[in-house]
Amino acid sequence: MKTRVRFAPSPTGPLHIGGLRTALFNYLYARKNKGTFILRVEDTDQNRYVDGSESYIQEALEWCGMIPDEGPANGGSHGPYRQSERKEIYKTHIEELLTSGAAYYAFDSSEALSTAREEAEKKGETFRYGSHNRMQFKNSLTLNPDELKEALKEDYVVRLKVVADQRVSITDEVRGNVTVESNLLDDKILMKSDGMPTYHFANVVDDRLMEITTVIRGEEWLPSMPMHKLIYDAFGWEPPKFMHLPLILKPSGKGKLSKRDGDKDGFPVFPLQWGSDTAGFREMGFLPEGLINYLAFLGWNDGGEKEFFSLEELEEAFSVVGIQKGGARFDYEKAKSVNHQHLSRTSPDTLIENSKVKQVLADYPVEKHLDILSLFQERLYTLDDLKEETALLKAPYPYDEKSVGKLQNKNPQIVLEQIAALLGTQKEGESIKEPLFQWAKENEISLGVVMQSFRLSIVGKLTGPDLFAICTLLGKDVPLKRVHDFLNHLS
Ligand code: GLU
């Protein structure tokens, strides 16, 4: 059987990185098994529908290079892929269950249900509408045919008739077997009074009709698995395989990663910008490859030491055995360090096309763009670092006085005079590196002192990329001037 998996977000806002990670694991599983990756939009809850979320989801997947094989944008053999366009399908299927007796109409008012709930709570019980009490309510099992005919003229819902005294047992590929007593389960509503299916019903019907072979989704849906099994049973269908992914946890403390954590600590939780004030990983200077690589390791690992994976390598390496059961803690520094590896390994010719890079380089002559990027790129953790890193081409940073102080008693003036002399007589395209090192050797001056003096004068601090390469970019006059300025500063 050909592998078919689906990512089934509800368009209730931007995609959280937890959702993106679910999409990624579906995508990787599909690619690894030469299967089909489907996007299905679960938009039956009109109250929670947020305009713009579907296109956001589509754009986020595209940015990450995970183009669905089937979905609302590109269609496919098992559409439509928006649940709001599948109402007729749910209607026929609910009728099938009503006819077979696996489901029934219920007419209880919200007041009647509230009263029943309060009574249960008074006894210290959790309210359930199920096999033990369904005959006390107003539904098609308790009304006579005439009453039923009347009642059907008003609002109603359709409930699943959960079979009593059964052990509902189903396996999750990551966590093993889950067994629940059916007497503990609700007669879940399958069809709401507005004629729309509930999540559970639409989800099961669609997974079946779209021939989904493995359901891969977040852990928060694990408790729904037995209920879904009962809906499959009600139709006499074989359920697909299930795989529930671990939660993504806050950077510290207990609980699920939330937007508030990001707002508090200044990191994004969405792949792309949402609204005018919420930047995504893209806007914060991540490469999609970097984000994807980091997300892959939030709940999975290949058991080896390797951390750097391209999307293609992940497609190859991905396996279910590598999925962990326990929650995966989000770590923004780690995400940046993975991004850093991708930034340093991307070819400058590719990176130069990035709009953030273009924006920074626009301040410099075009013929220098590639050289500048090549020099600084391996120092970047996000693309936003490029502006700060290249600032030294415009002016040195304020002198790092602590390092300047340490240098003072090592006689840097004589070194700087020599550097100035070499820079002054330097020919176009030549480096002063060799003559400078030669001079230091002859005069028994440590290369440490030479390089620190030189670097402090050009950069202002002791870090930064290769100094001679910086000087080449700066041309002849600028380095000379900076050395003189530094000499003045020292005196
Ligand atoms: N629409 C559900 C969600 O937003 C899908 C859950 C599932 O994959 O079954 O997460």
Side-chain angles (χ1 to χ4, degrees):
M1 197 171 22
K2 191 170 181 210
T3 297
R4 290 174 62 84
V5 294
R6 83 315 189 262
F7 174 49
S10 301
T12 54
L15 191 59
H16 183 276
I17 52 162
L20 190 65
R21 199 260 327 244
T22 301
L24 173 64
F25 282 32
N26 272 285
Y27 173 85
L28 294 176
Y29 188 80
R31 289 294 163 268
K32 173 83 189 205
N33 295 291
K34 313 243 171 310
T36 305
F37 171 56
I38 298 156
L39 172 64
R40 179 174 77 224
V41 177
E42 302 210 323
D43 58 350
T44 54
D45 192 345
Q46 293 303 318
N47 299 327
R48 295 181 60 222
Y49 183 84
V50 175
D51 237 9
S53 347
E54 185 188 317
S55 51
Y56 179 99
I57 292 165
Q58 187 75 37
E59 193 187 339
L61 294 180
E62 279 169 22
W63 181 64
C64 293
M66 302 190 281
I67 314 280
D69 302 310
E70 296 173 22
N74 51 347
S77 50
H78 293 60
Y81 295 92
R82 272 184 210 102
Q83 289 189 327
S84 57
E85 293 165 15
R86 299 172 63 82
K87 283 186 218 158
E88 280 309 308
I89 297 175
Y90 306 127
K91 215 168 140 223
T92 355
H93 282 83
I94 206 75
E95 271 156 19
E96 189 181 327
L97 294 190
L98 285 163
T99 310
S100 73
Y104 62 93
Y105 296 105
F107 307 96
D108 312 282
S109 65
S110 46
E111 293 78 36
L113 291 174
S114 301
T115 314
R117 179 165 296 115
E118 278 161 25
E119 272 168 23
E121 279 162 10
K122 258 187 237 153
K123 285 189 239 156
E125 293 166 3
T126 329
F127 175 66
R128 266 183 309 107
Y129 193 123
S131 52
H132 68 297
N133 63 358
R134 63 168 81 103
M135 298 311 281
Q136 297 158 20
F137 289 104
K138 186 178 174 188
N139 54 49
S140 53
L141 306 170
T142 57
L143 298 184
N144 67 39
D146 289 337
E147 289 169 336
L148 180 59
K149 219 167 138 198
E150 266 318 292
L152 281 171
K153 290 178 185 159
E154 305 291 329
D155 278 356
Y156 59 81
V157 298
V158 177
R159 288 183 182 268
L160 181 71
K161 191 174 166 194
V162 173
V163 186
D165 306 321
Q166 232 188 16
R167 284 167 73 81
V168 188
S169 188
I170 179 140
T171 301
D172 178 83
E173 301 291 308
V174 179
R175 286 142 212 276
N177 195 273
V178 177
T179 304
V180 188
E181 298 298 327
S182 70
N183 290 352
L184 296 175
L185 295 172
D186 253 327
D187 280 358
K188 268 271 182 292
I189 296 180
L190 303 179
M191 188 74 89
K192 295 177 281 187
S193 57
D194 61 2
M196 283 295 221
T198 55
Y199 154 72
H200 302 287
F201 187 63
N203 190 270
V204 165
V205 168
D206 287 347
D207 283 345
R208 171 70 183 192
L209 297 187
M210 293 182 180
E211 298 186 86
I212 300 304
T213 51
T214 307
V215 167
I216 305 173
R217 60 187 173 194
E219 185 180 311
E220 62 273 29
W221 299 106
L222 188 68
S224 302
M225 192 169 63
M227 179 53 66
H228 291 185
K229 162 84 162 61
L230 287 176
I231 304 175
Y232 282 100
D233 289 352
F235 280 109
W237 293 338
E238 189 64 35
K241 284 188 189 157
F242 288 95
M243 231 178 257
H244 288 87
L245 307 177
L247 289 180
I248 299 183
L249 305 173
K250 293 177 184 303
S252 58
K254 278 191 189 146
K256 224 165 106 167
L257 177 73
S258 70
K259 178 171 180 298
R260 211 170 313 138
D261 299 316
D263 292 344
K264 185 164 69 74
D265 293 339
F267 61 79
V269 295
F270 303 138
L272 315 176
Q273 169 124 10
W274 176 258
S276 51
D277 61 344
T278 309
F281 280 85
R282 180 175 65 183
E283 291 70 30
M284 296 290 272
F286 272 71
L287 292 178
E289 300 84 342
L291 176 60
I292 286 299
N293 190 165
Y294 175 64
L295 285 186
F297 279 86
L298 273 181
W300 171 85
N301 70 77
D302 74 336
E305 295 291 306
K306 184 171 140 105
E307 284 189 335
F308 178 91
F309 282 83
S310 65
L311 188 55
E312 294 73 38
E313 286 173 320
L314 286 171
E315 289 170 16
E316 197 43 51
F318 189 75
S319 70
V320 180
V321 283
I323 300 178
Q324 72 193 46
K325 290 196 189 82
R329 200 169 282 293
F330 180 79
D331 178 349
Y332 190 50
E333 291 310 313
K334 180 79 198 168
K336 284 203 291 191
S337 109
V338 174
N339 194 50
H340 163 70
Q341 295 188 43
H342 282 266
L343 278 168
S344 40
R345 295 195 209 188
T346 305
S347 109
D349 296 299
T350 307
L351 206 53
I352 208 161
E353 297 303 326
N354 184 286
S355 60
K356 275 186 180 280
V357 172
K358 278 188 182 160
Q359 216 177 357
V360 175
L361 293 180
D363 288 356
Y364 303 95
V366 174
E367 64 278 11
K368 291 196 173 167
H369 284 185
L370 258 187
D371 289 341
I372 295 176
L373 185 59
S374 311
L375 183 58
F376 289 94
Q377 117 176 50
E378 62 181 37
R379 302 184 53 80
L380 310 179
Y381 282 76
T382 73
L383 288 162
D384 284 3
D385 296 341
L386 187 61
K387 196 176 169 71
E388 169 73 10
E389 286 286 339
T390 51
L392 65 88
L393 297 177
K394 294 183 175 161
Y397 295 99
Y399 295 120
D400 165 8
E401 293 301 348
K402 210 167 155 202
S403 306
V404 174
K406 280 192 200 151
L407 198 64
Q408 285 280 22
N409 51 14
K410 292 180 188 152
N411 223 346
Q413 284 84 354
I414 155 170
V415 174
L416 290 164
E417 307 266 337
Q418 176 62 19
I419 293 173
L422 287 171
L423 286 171
T425 53
Q426 175 192 21
K427 293 208 184 71
E428 184 75 30
E430 265 179 15
S431 165
I432 65 160
K433 186 173 178 177
E434 252 178 55
L436 179 62
F437 283 11
Q438 185 63 32
W439 170 84
K441 202 174 161 193
E442 282 161 11
N443 293 278
E444 292 180 4
I445 296 177
S446 99
L447 277 187
V449 173
V450 171
M451 288 310 287
Q452 282 173 18
S453 312
F454 195 10
R455 190 174 277 282
L456 281 172
S457 69
I458 302 295
V459 182
K461 56 182 183 181
L462 291 178
T463 55
D466 181 72
L467 193 54
F468 296 99
I470 297 176
C471 288
T472 309
L473 278 173
L474 291 175
K476 193 171 161 174
D477 301 339
V478 177
L480 187 56
K481 179 171 183 309
R482 288 191 189 183
V483 171
H484 282 137
D485 289 348
F486 189 47
L487 270 167
N488 284 337
H489 181 76
L490 289 180
S491 56

